[in-house]
Amino acid sequence: ATMHKSGTYTDHNGNQSSHHTLDTKTIHHFTGTCCGGTCCDGGQNPATTQHGMDSLIYTLSEDGAPLSVFAVDTMPVDGITNGISDKNSSAGGSVNGGSGGFSFFGGIDSFEKSGNAAHLVIAGRHRGRLSFRLANGSTLHFDNKKFGERANGWGYNAVVAKIDLENNALVWVTSAGMMLEVERSAAEAIAT
């Protein structure tokens, strides 16, 4: 929720006087990352774990009130979130390492100048599985199986995606031509 100058918070259910807690939050785009007050695997605290650090794109009105939200679920490729950071698979940890999945989209631009205000493009980096909602209601998974550790720059791959804001759906996503086999890569800016 966003706080306005008036001191109220606004989300998709309108204005309220206090910010939601994890127990009172409203769900606008259920990603399945956390459930029942803990993350779905390993019982990590959802307020402090990296798991569930989903990427969100809000569409706001001229006065700053949220109109819609598009979420990209971010998890380890194999779904293992137990925090074990060991490249040896027999140790029981994720192929993505103890930190699991990660996503960050620092670049964003619209196609408004070309007359297509309904679409925007985002650019950033990720490790693990990104889950994008498609217009038909299904989900597209986009995977990076690199192990995340300091020695390889945390295993990020660059990623660019086009989003349809009218349908809150992915149009396309790619890392083609932007990935390195061992090192990390990132897309920091985008222009249409």
Side-chain angles (χ1 to χ4, degrees):
T2 55
M3 183 176 180
H4 294 276
K5 290 179 185 177
S6 66
T8 62
Y9 292 88
T10 304
D11 67 10
H12 292 76
N13 292 327
N15 292 329
Q16 56 266 351
S17 59
S18 63
H19 192 280
H20 291 295
T21 66
L22 286 170
D23 294 327
T24 64
K25 67 186 178 293
T26 56
I27 297 174
H28 308 289
H29 180 111
F30 182 69
T31 61
T33 303
C34 293
C35 49
T38 64
C39 290
C40 297
D41 181 25
Q44 294 93 347
N45 180 345
T48 58
T49 182
Q50 180 170 305
H51 303 298
M53 289 183 65
D54 303 321
S55 292
L56 304 172
I57 300 168
Y58 275 93
T59 304
L60 303 174
S61 69
E62 289 292 324
D63 63 351
L67 299 174
S68 70
V69 62
F70 180 81
V72 181
D73 184 32
T74 308
M75 287 292 285
V77 168
D78 50 21
I80 299 172
T81 60
N82 58 18
I84 296 173
S85 192
D86 191 324
K87 284 186 179 181
N88 183 348
S89 61
S90 66
S94 171
V95 297
N96 293 126
S99 295
F102 175 86
S103 66
F104 173 78
F105 292 95
I108 188 168
D109 199 3
S110 73
F111 290 89
E112 194 168 354
K113 293 174 222 144
S114 66
N116 184 358
H119 290 115
L120 61 83
V121 65
I122 56 175
R125 61 187 183 266
H126 91 288
R127 177 185 62 245
R129 170 168 286 169
L130 300 179
S131 296
F132 293 91
R133 181 190 175 280
L134 299 175
N136 66 8
S138 65
T139 301
L140 181 127
H141 299 298
F142 192 72
D143 294 345
N144 168 3
K145 295 181 181 180
K146 288 182 186 173
F147 188 84
E149 63 181 345
R150 188 177 302 276
N152 73 349
W154 301 109
Y156 305 131
N157 278 348
V159 61
V160 177
K162 185 176 182 182
I163 310 297
D164 174 355
L165 296 175
E166 285 181 348
N167 295 301
N168 272 344
L170 175 75
V171 177
W172 52 257
V173 61
T174 188
S175 287
M178 299 181 286
M179 293 186 304
L180 300 172
E181 186 71 26
V182 178
E183 297 296 320
R184 80 174 183 179
S185 62
E188 300 294 337
I190 194 81
T192 59

